[in-house]
Amino acid sequence: MSPRPIQQVVTAHQQKEGAGFLVRRPVPTNGLDQVDPFLMLDEVGPVEYAPGKAIGAPDHPHRGFETVSYILSGQKLHEDSTGKSQLISAGDVQWMTAGAGIVHSELPGPAFKAAGGLAHGFQIWVNLPAAQKFAKPGYQYLPASDIPTAQSPDGLITVKVVAGEAFGVAAAIGTHTPIWLQDWRVSPGAEAEIATDPGFNVAAYVFDGAVCFGADKVPVARGQMAVFGRGETLMVRGGDDAGRFLLLAGEPLNEPVSRYGPFVMNTHDELIAAVEDYQSGKMGTIRR
Ligand code: FE
């Protein structure tokens, strides 16, 4: 069993999204286009909003992939063109399949907007294979209480298993292709070596403190993402302080990626068709 080495460490750049909220984005960034099948990872906030001031992303379309929202603090109201709406609160996950096309809005929940407070969370874009890019649009919603928690044998690592499995605990969510998406809390002194499918691409984005990875125990700090090379296992070690990271792992699609804003297809012509279909109303509208 050979541990995966760190192949690359990127530092998230910052940019504005939606109505102007700041995100940290380790992928895509300069030098890293994707971690196939993960197209994008945004850390939203942490940002403290005054009462009435919280902002989000009003009505916009997607096609060809999935968007995953994982909220750490605050509350989001999702509404979409299939007619559904969903409040997503701290600890909850919404795994949305844009597939053939959806229009949605991602705004602060009304109670959170009125009161203000700390907003912090993630949005992850997961690609769909060509054969499933026109899947039926919809979403899976998992309240925090339905997300299984796993613990390392030494008791020093706690994992929220959103997708995949950790320390023998399997996720409750279904994915189109084999994917792991997990929130790891690592205490000082923790040690774990976990088996990862040798065919998977694996990356870890540290969003609190620092965590050490690989046989060489390379420290990766808050705001950095480690992309791992080939191997059979992932070695995780606690640093001097506690750390927290998002583990992204999955079977690569190995297909051409053509992106334009909220659309991710395989060819340029498919992107043009997506823009035309959206502009002619074929992805629907949100009825309010
Ligand atoms: Fe969106």
Side-chain angles (χ1 to χ4, degrees):
M1 300 264 278
S2 64
R4 290 173 179 262
I6 291 183
Q7 189 176 64
Q8 186 181 5
V9 176
V10 296
T11 299
H13 71 273
Q14 298 203 357
Q15 74 176 62
K16 286 190 171 173
E17 273 303 320
F21 55 86
L22 201 62
V23 302
R24 282 188 177 84
R25 182 173 291 167
V27 61
T29 195
N30 191 17
L32 186 65
D33 289 335
Q34 64 167 337
V35 180
D36 188 8
F38 299 93
L39 296 160
M40 189 188 85
L41 169 59
D42 276 358
E43 181 185 358
V44 182
V47 55
E48 186 75 35
Y49 286 116
K53 295 294 184 194
I55 52 174
D59 306 17
H60 60 278
H62 292 291
R63 171 182 280 179
F65 62 103
E66 302 187 294
T67 66
V68 182
S69 298
Y70 176 40
I71 309 289
L72 300 175
S73 180
Q75 193 178 52
K76 183 153 110 173
L77 173 64
H78 160 100
E79 296 178 290
D80 71 43
S81 51
T82 73
K84 293 177 87 173
S85 71
Q86 181 69 57
L87 263 181
I88 310 163
S89 300
D92 299 353
V93 167
Q94 185 204 41
W95 196 295
M96 186 184 86
T97 302
I102 198 167
V103 176
H104 76 156
S105 70
E106 303 160 89
L107 297 172
F112 177 74
K113 172 125 187 178
L118 183 72
H120 192 197
F122 294 98
Q123 169 126 153
I124 301 113
W125 287 12
V126 179
N127 206 358
L128 286 170
Q132 293 177 57
K133 283 198 176 288
F134 283 83
K136 187 169 182 273
Y139 62 79
Q140 302 171 76
Y141 167 67
L142 255 85
S145 55
D146 286 359
I147 299 172
T149 300
Q151 252 191 353
S152 59
D154 66 7
L156 296 174
I157 299 174
T158 304
V159 184
K160 295 252 176 228
V161 190
V162 176
E165 60 152 279
F167 303 114
V169 175
I173 216 154
T175 58
H176 282 85
T177 59
I179 280 170
W180 289 12
L181 177 61
Q182 301 167 359
D183 173 1
W184 283 54
R185 268 177 205 273
V186 183
S187 297
E191 287 195 6
E193 181 172 13
I194 59 158
T196 53
D197 188 313
F200 276 16
N201 285 335
V202 180
Y205 175 66
V206 177
F207 61 95
D208 192 24
V211 180
C212 303
F213 294 100
D216 300 334
K217 302 178 189 176
V218 179
V220 177
R222 195 256 180 280
Q224 294 185 318
M225 189 169 77
V227 182
F228 300 97
R230 294 288 150 218
E232 280 89 43
T233 66
L234 180 66
M235 288 181 82
V236 179
R237 296 280 181 277
D240 295 336
D241 299 308
R244 203 166 165 191
F245 70 91
L246 218 54
L247 176 65
L248 312 180
E251 191 175 281
L253 304 181
N254 294 316
E255 292 180 354
V257 174
S258 205
R259 330 182 176 208
Y260 179 73
F263 307 122
V264 184
M265 305 302 291
N266 298 108
T267 69
H268 186 72
D269 284 353
E270 290 167 348
L271 284 180
I272 292 171
V275 172
E276 287 174 355
D277 285 353
Y278 170 56
Q279 288 177 343
S280 62
K282 286 182 185 151
M283 296 183 190
T285 53
I286 305 175
R287 267 175 264 254
R288 295 186 170 93

Short mmCIF file of all heavy atoms in Angstrom, two decimals, residues 152-180:
data_model
loop_
_atom_site.label_atom_id
_atom_site.label_comp_id
_atom_site.label_asym_id
_atom_site.label_seq_id
_atom_site.Cartn_x
_atom_site.Cartn_y
_atom_site.Cartn_z
N SER A 152 -12.18 8.25 13.33
CA SER A 152 -10.97 7.46 13.12
C SER A 152 -10.78 6.54 14.32
O SER A 152 -11.29 6.81 15.41
CB SER A 152 -9.77 8.39 12.96
OG SER A 152 -9.61 9.19 14.11
N PRO A 153 -10.03 5.43 14.14
CA PRO A 153 -9.80 4.50 15.25
C PRO A 153 -9.20 5.18 16.48
O PRO A 153 -9.51 4.80 17.61
CB PRO A 153 -8.83 3.48 14.66
CG PRO A 153 -9.08 3.52 13.18
CD PRO A 153 -9.46 4.94 12.87
N ASP A 154 -8.35 6.21 16.31
CA ASP A 154 -7.76 6.89 17.48
C ASP A 154 -8.71 7.93 18.09
O ASP A 154 -8.37 8.56 19.09
CB ASP A 154 -6.40 7.52 17.12
CG ASP A 154 -6.49 8.66 16.12
OD1 ASP A 154 -7.62 9.09 15.78
OD2 ASP A 154 -5.43 9.14 15.67
N GLY A 155 -9.88 8.10 17.48
CA GLY A 155 -10.89 9.01 18.03
C GLY A 155 -10.57 10.48 17.83
O GLY A 155 -11.30 11.34 18.31
N LEU A 156 -9.49 10.78 17.10
CA LEU A 156 -9.05 12.18 16.97
C LEU A 156 -9.47 12.84 15.66
O LEU A 156 -9.15 13.99 15.41
CB LEU A 156 -7.52 12.27 17.14
CG LEU A 156 -7.00 11.86 18.53
CD1 LEU A 156 -5.48 11.84 18.56
CD2 LEU A 156 -7.54 12.83 19.60
N ILE A 157 -10.16 12.07 14.81
CA ILE A 157 -10.67 12.63 13.55
C ILE A 157 -12.17 12.34 13.47
O ILE A 157 -12.60 11.22 13.72
CB ILE A 157 -9.96 12.01 12.33
CG1 ILE A 157 -8.45 12.30 12.38
CG2 ILE A 157 -10.57 12.53 11.03
CD1 ILE A 157 -7.65 11.60 11.28
N THR A 158 -12.93 13.38 13.16
CA THR A 158 -14.37 13.23 12.97
C THR A 158 -14.70 13.64 11.54
O THR A 158 -14.22 14.68 11.06
CB THR A 158 -15.14 14.12 13.95
OG1 THR A 158 -14.73 13.79 15.27
CG2 THR A 158 -16.64 13.92 13.82
N VAL A 159 -15.48 12.81 10.86
CA VAL A 159 -15.77 13.04 9.45
C VAL A 159 -17.28 13.11 9.21
O VAL A 159 -18.01 12.20 9.61
CB VAL A 159 -15.19 11.91 8.56
CG1 VAL A 159 -15.41 12.20 7.08
CG2 VAL A 159 -13.71 11.70 8.84
N LYS A 160 -17.74 14.19 8.58
CA LYS A 160 -19.11 14.24 8.07
C LYS A 160 -19.08 13.64 6.68
O LYS A 160 -18.46 14.18 5.75
CB LYS A 160 -19.59 15.69 8.00
CG LYS A 160 -19.71 16.34 9.36
CD LYS A 160 -21.17 16.52 9.72
CE LYS A 160 -21.30 17.08 11.11
NZ LYS A 160 -22.25 16.36 11.93
N VAL A 161 -19.76 12.50 6.53
CA VAL A 161 -19.67 11.75 5.28
C VAL A 161 -20.82 12.18 4.35
O VAL A 161 -21.89 11.59 4.36
CB VAL A 161 -19.71 10.23 5.54
CG1 VAL A 161 -19.38 9.47 4.26
CG2 VAL A 161 -18.75 9.84 6.65
N VAL A 162 -20.57 13.21 3.57
CA VAL A 162 -21.60 13.70 2.64
C VAL A 162 -21.74 12.71 1.48
O VAL A 162 -22.85 12.35 1.09
CB VAL A 162 -21.23 15.11 2.11
CG1 VAL A 162 -22.25 15.57 1.06
CG2 VAL A 162 -21.17 16.11 3.27
N ALA A 163 -20.62 12.29 0.92
CA ALA A 163 -20.64 11.30 -0.16
C ALA A 163 -19.48 10.35 0.02
O ALA A 163 -18.44 10.72 0.57
CB ALA A 163 -20.58 11.98 -1.52
N GLY A 164 -19.66 9.10 -0.43
CA GLY A 164 -18.61 8.09 -0.32
C GLY A 164 -18.64 7.40 1.03
O GLY A 164 -19.71 7.23 1.63
N GLU A 165 -17.47 7.02 1.54
CA GLU A 165 -17.40 6.36 2.84
C GLU A 165 -16.11 6.70 3.56
O GLU A 165 -15.09 7.01 2.92
CB GLU A 165 -17.53 4.85 2.70
CG GLU A 165 -16.45 4.23 1.86
CD GLU A 165 -16.18 2.78 2.27
OE1 GLU A 165 -15.44 2.55 3.25
OE2 GLU A 165 -16.70 1.91 1.59
N ALA A 166 -16.19 6.71 4.88
CA ALA A 166 -15.02 6.99 5.71
C ALA A 166 -15.08 6.12 6.95
O ALA A 166 -16.12 6.05 7.61
CB ALA A 166 -14.99 8.46 6.11
N PHE A 167 -13.97 5.44 7.27
CA PHE A 167 -13.86 4.59 8.47
C PHE A 167 -15.08 3.67 8.62
O PHE A 167 -15.65 3.53 9.70
CB PHE A 167 -13.66 5.46 9.71
CG PHE A 167 -12.46 6.37 9.62
CD1 PHE A 167 -12.61 7.76 9.56
CD2 PHE A 167 -11.18 5.84 9.57
CE1 PHE A 167 -11.49 8.59 9.46
CE2 PHE A 167 -10.05 6.67 9.46
CZ PHE A 167 -10.22 8.04 9.42
N GLY A 168 -15.50 3.09 7.48
CA GLY A 168 -16.58 2.10 7.50
C GLY A 168 -17.97 2.68 7.53
O GLY A 168 -18.95 1.94 7.58
N VAL A 169 -18.10 4.01 7.47
CA VAL A 169 -19.42 4.64 7.48
C VAL A 169 -19.75 5.14 6.07
O VAL A 169 -18.97 5.89 5.48
CB VAL A 169 -19.46 5.81 8.49
CG1 VAL A 169 -20.80 6.55 8.41
CG2 VAL A 169 -19.20 5.31 9.90
N ALA A 170 -20.90 4.72 5.55
CA ALA A 170 -21.28 5.08 4.18
C ALA A 170 -22.23 6.27 4.18
O ALA A 170 -23.05 6.45 5.09
CB ALA A 170 -21.94 3.89 3.50
N ALA A 171 -22.12 7.09 3.14
CA ALA A 171 -22.98 8.27 2.98
C ALA A 171 -24.41 7.87 2.67
O ALA A 171 -24.69 6.75 2.25
CB ALA A 171 -22.44 9.16 1.87
N ALA A 172 -25.32 8.82 2.87
CA ALA A 172 -26.73 8.57 2.58
C ALA A 172 -27.11 9.03 1.18
O ALA A 172 -28.18 8.69 0.68
CB ALA A 172 -27.59 9.31 3.62
N ILE A 173 -26.22 9.78 0.54
CA ILE A 173 -26.58 10.39 -0.73
C ILE A 173 -26.16 9.52 -1.91
O ILE A 173 -25.21 8.73 -1.79
CB ILE A 173 -25.90 11.80 -0.82
CG1 ILE A 173 -26.84 12.78 -1.53
CG2 ILE A 173 -24.54 11.75 -1.48
CD1 ILE A 173 -26.58 14.20 -1.12
N GLY A 174 -26.89 9.62 -3.02
CA GLY A 174 -26.53 8.89 -4.23
C GLY A 174 -25.83 9.82 -5.21
O GLY A 174 -26.18 11.00 -5.29
N THR A 175 -24.82 9.33 -5.92
CA THR A 175 -24.12 10.16 -6.90
C THR A 175 -24.16 9.47 -8.27
O THR A 175 -24.32 8.25 -8.34
CB THR A 175 -22.65 10.41 -6.49
OG1 THR A 175 -21.97 9.16 -6.35
CG2 THR A 175 -22.59 11.16 -5.15
N HIS A 176 -24.03 10.25 -9.33
CA HIS A 176 -24.08 9.69 -10.68
C HIS A 176 -22.84 8.88 -11.02
O HIS A 176 -22.91 7.93 -11.79
CB HIS A 176 -24.27 10.81 -11.72
CG HIS A 176 -25.67 11.31 -11.80
ND1 HIS A 176 -26.16 12.28 -10.94
CD2 HIS A 176 -26.70 10.97 -12.61
CE1 HIS A 176 -27.43 12.51 -11.24
NE2 HIS A 176 -27.78 11.73 -12.24
N THR A 177 -21.70 9.31 -10.48
CA THR A 177 -20.45 8.58 -10.67
C THR A 177 -19.82 8.42 -9.29
O THR A 177 -20.21 9.13 -8.36
CB THR A 177 -19.49 9.34 -11.62
OG1 THR A 177 -19.22 10.64 -11.05
CG2 THR A 177 -20.09 9.52 -13.01
N PRO A 178 -18.86 7.50 -9.14
CA PRO A 178 -18.25 7.29 -7.81
C PRO A 178 -17.53 8.55 -7.31
O PRO A 178 -16.58 9.02 -7.94
CB PRO A 178 -17.26 6.14 -8.05
CG PRO A 178 -17.77 5.44 -9.27
CD PRO A 178 -18.37 6.52 -10.13
N ILE A 179 -18.03 9.11 -6.19
CA ILE A 179 -17.51 10.37 -5.65
C ILE A 179 -17.49 10.32 -4.13
O ILE A 179 -18.42 9.80 -3.51
CB ILE A 179 -18.40 11.54 -6.11
CG1 ILE A 179 -18.04 11.95 -7.54
CG2 ILE A 179 -18.25 12.76 -5.20
CD1 ILE A 179 -19.01 12.91 -8.14
N TRP A 180 -16.43 10.89 -3.56
CA TRP A 180 -16.38 11.14 -2.12
C TRP A 180 -16.37 12.64 -1.89
O TRP A 180 -15.61 13.36 -2.55
CB TRP A 180 -15.10 10.58 -1.50
CG TRP A 180 -15.03 9.10 -1.41
CD1 TRP A 180 -15.84 8.19 -2.02
CD2 TRP A 180 -14.05 8.34 -0.68
NE1 TRP A 180 -15.45 6.91 -1.70
CE2 TRP A 180 -14.34 6.98 -0.88
CE3 TRP A 180 -12.97 8.68 0.11
CZ2 TRP A 180 -13.59 5.96 -0.31
CZ3 TRP A 180 -12.21 7.68 0.69
CH2 TRP A 180 -12.52 6.33 0.48
#
